[in-house]
Amino acid sequence: MMYVYSNLLCLLTLAVMLLVVTIRRLTITLPFAFLLSFGAFCIASIMWAEDPSRSTTMAFRTLPLLIVFALVLHNYICFTKQKVFLLNSIYFAGIVLALYTVMVQGGLAGFLSSLGGGARIGGEVANENTVGMGTAFSLLVAFYYLVYERRVLHLFPLALNGLVALATGSNKALIIIVFGCVALLVFRAYINGNVLSLCKYAALIVCLIIAVLYLLQLPVFDTINTRFTSMVDTLLGVSSANASTAERMNLTEAGLMQFVETPLLGIGIANSGIITQQAVIGFDSYLHNNYVELLACVGVVGTFLFYLGPCVAVWRLARNLTMSGNESAVVLVIISAWFLIQVGWVSYADKVSYIFLTLLMVYSYPTGEERGDNVEKTV
């Protein structure tokens, strides 16, 4: 029932945004034009798909809903000038998720007891990786407010999100936290642009890395420490103890082999299950790597259409980083972390991805109303 309620709430929200947006013409910026082209290409891929029935639901229902949702949300946020509200929504959603995860464990005592027992936390709420990534991205916003805005009150959300993210045992969550916090400090030094700041933030980066390494040695975080270490060892070929990482490497290899056979158009959107059934694990799955998933399913053309818009928006935002405000730095870090973890996460049909993409577009491509221009001048 919670699933039904969440979908109804999403549709109601979309309807309200559409009602607000319809008082003027919907603006389609260049990145969204590429995203719409990606959706159209996925529909076209049904014609050459290995199994058209697999592609139909994705191409005609899931992707159109996500793309239209992102497009309407972009126009609505720009129309109402609520960029910070969208950023804070990601922040507070992570805090609520963290609090709910602790509550489901029976409160803080039950949470610490489960954590001390070596269990991965979050499976009772959703997939552990989902909880880990949600709280990790929220932590980045808390860290931004703490370092950039010097608001000490964000220490508690930062600690809460960090505790829950590490407790999930998610490697992706750990990567998001370490990469994101270091990147925020680097951007902060770059924006300040003086030698003293560079030295200060370089020292903070070293301290941050030491603190994370120390935390991972604590008994309560033994699960994430063991999983991350074995993942790195497996990737480096030192050992193959991490069965999950070894399996994902096999999936990646099989997907790339399929890409070599059908490099231009792929085998049809959402057809990766055919590859896993025939070549790897013997049952229907996906390739656990967004880049390989898209290359195998929609080839170079589809992959290019999906990523070109975000890359253009990142370039547009990054080139004016020193003039576009501190918030642009945290947006760039969130998107950079999003790009990074797609090596182990299929994200092209995930709702969270389209919220992040909307956040990026809002800061890099404000529509006519926000700029004070006529809508007709919007590119």
Side-chain angles (χ1 to χ4, degrees):
M1 289 308 298
M2 289 298 294
Y3 178 79
V4 173
Y5 293 149
S6 67
N7 277 279
L8 288 174
L9 182 60
C10 181
L11 289 172
L12 177 62
T13 305
L14 185 61
V16 171
M17 290 191 298
L18 269 172
L19 184 64
V20 173
V21 169
T22 49
I23 67 174
R24 74 338 170 253
R25 198 174 72 186
L26 198 69
T27 301
I28 300 177
T29 58
L30 185 61
F32 274 111
F34 287 123
L35 203 54
L36 288 167
S37 299
F38 168 73
F41 183 81
C42 290
I43 293 174
S45 74
I46 296 173
M47 295 187 293
W48 61 81
E50 293 276 340
D51 183 355
S53 63
R54 292 172 179 267
S55 301
T56 302
T57 300
M58 180 65 69
F60 280 112
R61 188 182 70 180
T62 304
L63 287 177
L65 280 174
L66 290 171
I67 294 170
V68 170
F69 166 77
L71 178 61
V72 173
L73 180 60
H74 173 249
N75 277 265
Y76 176 79
I77 292 295
C78 289
F79 180 73
T80 54
K81 302 180 181 179
Q82 296 187 78
K83 291 194 298 186
V84 179
F85 176 80
L86 184 58
L87 180 65
N88 286 334
S89 295
I90 296 171
Y91 180 29
F92 290 117
I95 295 173
V96 172
L97 179 60
L99 289 171
Y100 183 66
T101 302
V102 173
M103 184 186 73
V104 167
Q105 294 294 322
L108 185 60
F111 174 83
L112 293 176
S113 176
S114 298
L115 185 58
R120 291 187 67 185
I121 307 298
E124 301 83 0
V125 178
N127 178 277
E128 289 90 348
N129 284 322
T130 301
V131 175
M133 289 190 294
T135 50
F137 278 115
S138 178
L139 179 146
L140 295 185
V141 184
F143 190 74
Y144 157 75
Y145 280 127
L146 184 65
V147 174
Y148 284 64
E149 306 292 336
R150 302 184 184 280
R151 300 179 186 176
V152 182
L153 59 90
H154 295 280
L155 267 174
F156 173 73
L158 187 147
L160 174 67
N161 281 320
L163 180 64
V164 174
L166 293 178
T168 62
S170 170
N171 291 326
K172 287 187 280 292
L174 179 59
I175 291 169
I176 291 167
I177 291 171
V178 176
F179 167 81
C181 291
V182 170
L184 279 169
L185 291 173
V186 170
F187 280 141
R188 183 61 174 167
Y190 173 73
I191 291 171
N192 285 354
N194 60 68
V195 176
L196 183 60
S197 290
L198 288 173
C199 294
K200 180 175 70 175
Y201 288 110
L204 283 174
I205 289 172
V206 172
C207 292
L208 174 66
I209 294 174
I210 292 173
V212 171
L213 291 174
Y214 174 77
L215 282 173
L216 292 179
Q217 304 309 310
L218 296 177
V220 291
F221 295 126
D222 184 60
T223 300
I224 180 63
N225 186 29
T226 302
R227 295 187 76 250
F228 186 77
T229 303
S230 61
M231 180 194 73
V232 173
D233 288 344
T234 303
L235 290 173
L236 295 177
V238 176
S239 87
S240 57
N242 192 318
S244 175
T245 302
E247 185 177 280
R248 291 177 186 227
M249 291 172 68
N250 292 333
L251 290 169
T252 298
E253 183 180 353
L256 291 174
M257 289 175 64
Q258 179 61 59
F259 166 65
V260 170
E261 294 179 15
T262 53
L264 192 62
L265 302 178
I267 60 171
I269 193 69
N271 269 242
S272 58
I274 295 175
I275 302 172
T276 65
Q277 282 182 332
Q278 296 176 350
V280 191
I281 54 179
F283 61 86
D284 204 329
S285 182
Y286 48 91
L287 299 178
H288 290 77
N289 183 316
N290 202 61
Y291 302 104
V292 175
E293 177 88 11
L294 288 177
L295 286 171
C297 292
V298 289
V300 172
V301 177
T303 306
F304 177 78
L305 290 173
F306 180 77
Y307 282 111
L308 184 58
C311 288
V312 169
V314 165
W315 169 251
R316 182 184 174 104
L317 188 61
R319 68 182 181 181
N320 296 317
L321 182 60
T322 55
M323 297 180 293
S324 53
N326 290 339
E327 290 166 20
S328 297
V330 71
V331 172
L332 279 174
V333 169
I334 288 173
I335 292 299
S336 298
W338 176 77
F339 274 112
L340 181 61
I341 62 173
Q342 286 179 68
V343 174
W345 173 43
V346 174
S347 66
Y348 76 91
D350 193 287
K351 293 186 289 293
V352 173
S353 289
Y354 289 83
I355 293 174
F356 289 162
L357 288 174
T358 303
L359 181 70
L360 172 63
M361 304 309 173
V362 163
Y363 277 87
S364 58
Y365 276 87
T367 58
E369 284 80 1
E370 191 182 12
R371 293 189 318 224
D373 303 332
N374 294 324
V375 174
E376 288 77 9
K377 294 180 183 179
T378 303
V379 178

